[in-house]
Amino acid sequence: AHAFNALMQSMQVAIVDNNRVMKKVAEGDLTARITMSAQNDFAILKNYTNSSIEMVQNTMHEITTAMEHLGNADFSYQMKFNAQGDFLTLIEHVKITMTMLKQAIYDINLVMSNMNHGDFSSRVNAEAKGDLLVMKDTVNTALSRLASAVSEIEQTASALAEQNLTRQISGQYQGDLSRIKSAMNQALIALNRSFAEVGTQAHEVSESSSHVAQANTSLSKHMQMQASILQETASAMEELSSQVKN
């Protein structure tokens, strides 16, 4: 009877202590541990329970630390906690997520830096999913459109330098790029019209100059004829005057 009572008392103490610890864990307190003295199977239960709580605590600490670094935009933190089973799977998922974020941010920063230096050929190549994939596609699409616009502007400017006013920007763009396209095309149309008007006026001036030259030539011939007549008249008068004197 004494041994049975002692066993029951040990079981009661173990259950009470275990319930106390589990209640703390359920409330988010992972520092609680089973502290009772135990032997045999109770000691094994105590060790397994405390080890499990410690594993959860360490896992949560690593994840919390990683999230704090992530919240500060620091992707350099390396999780080194040794875990097993589902804890290991959870840690690995966090590691993969941080690596994916780090690579995506690195690629985006590299692309933006290259664009800042006038290089529009770079693209975000990092593996991405979900919202990261949407951001990756958005950045790459924006770069492709910008590169296309810059290329068309360059080709149009080169054609203009070669006095070719017929080439215009034909790509479909939006926002500021669309306004730039419209402004350049309108400027080219205005230049083309101005050059056409200058050409017409030059042709008219050329024709007027030709008419003036012809008129000058005709006037010159007329004056030469008048001079010849005057000279003949003067000669006749001199001859007449000489005959009168004789």
Side-chain angles (χ1 to χ4, degrees):
H2 177 72
F4 178 78
N5 290 337
L7 176 61
M8 292 298 294
Q9 185 176 3
S10 297
M11 289 181 61
Q12 183 180 10
V13 171
I15 292 172
V16 169
D17 204 18
N18 187 77
N19 289 342
R20 175 187 63 81
V21 170
M22 291 298 102
K23 183 175 183 296
K24 290 286 186 180
V25 171
E27 293 172 350
D29 180 5
L30 300 178
T31 62
R33 298 290 186 274
I34 296 176
T35 57
M36 69 167 192
S37 298
Q39 297 177 351
N40 301 325
D41 289 341
F42 291 117
I44 295 173
L45 176 62
K46 171 186 175 180
N47 291 334
Y48 280 152
T49 301
N50 286 344
S51 296
S52 297
I53 295 172
E54 184 175 0
M55 180 70 70
V56 173
Q57 183 183 25
N58 291 336
T59 303
M60 295 303 297
H61 174 73
E62 278 295 306
I63 294 175
T64 300
T65 303
M67 292 301 103
E68 287 175 351
H69 283 271
L70 188 61
N72 293 322
D74 177 11
F75 304 97
S76 63
Y77 182 73
Q78 298 292 326
M79 302 178 69
K80 300 178 180 179
F81 173 63
N82 293 322
Q84 297 177 349
D86 290 340
F87 294 119
L88 177 60
T89 301
L90 179 60
I91 293 292
E92 289 300 322
H93 280 314
V94 174
K95 285 182 178 180
I96 291 171
T97 301
M98 290 192 69
T99 300
M100 186 179 296
L101 280 171
K102 179 180 180 180
Q103 188 60 47
I105 296 298
Y106 173 81
D107 267 21
I108 292 173
N109 286 338
L110 179 62
V111 166
M112 293 299 104
S113 176
N114 290 340
M115 185 176 69
N116 188 49
H117 289 87
D119 178 7
F120 302 99
S121 62
S122 298
R123 296 293 182 272
V124 179
N125 297 314
E127 180 183 357
K129 298 178 181 178
D131 289 340
L132 273 180
L133 179 59
V134 174
M135 181 172 65
K136 169 186 174 180
D137 290 342
T138 301
V139 170
N140 286 344
T141 300
L143 281 168
S144 295
R145 290 179 179 174
L146 187 57
S148 176
V150 170
S151 176
E152 277 209 89
I153 291 172
E154 179 184 1
Q155 292 172 12
T156 303
S158 297
L160 179 60
E162 295 174 356
Q163 301 181 0
N164 178 7
L165 302 178
T166 61
R167 184 182 183 89
Q168 294 189 0
I169 299 175
S170 58
Q172 299 299 318
Y173 304 106
Q174 298 177 345
D176 290 340
L177 290 179
S178 177
R179 286 187 283 274
I180 292 173
K181 168 190 172 181
S182 297
M184 285 202 66
N185 286 345
Q186 289 173 7
L188 286 167
I189 292 172
L191 278 172
N192 204 2
R193 186 183 300 117
S194 297
F195 279 119
E197 291 176 356
V198 168
T200 301
Q201 293 174 0
H203 179 69
E204 292 176 353
V205 169
S206 177
E207 287 187 345
S208 298
S209 298
S210 177
H211 291 321
V212 169
Q214 291 176 1
N216 286 337
T217 302
S218 177
L219 179 61
S220 177
K221 289 180 179 179
H222 181 70
M223 291 181 68
Q224 288 177 359
M225 290 176 62
Q226 293 294 324
S228 177
I229 293 171
L230 287 173
Q231 186 176 6
E232 289 178 357
T233 301
S235 297
M237 291 296 292
E238 287 179 1
E239 184 178 353
L240 180 59
S241 177
S242 175
Q243 290 176 358
V244 171
K245 289 180 179 180
N246 292 333

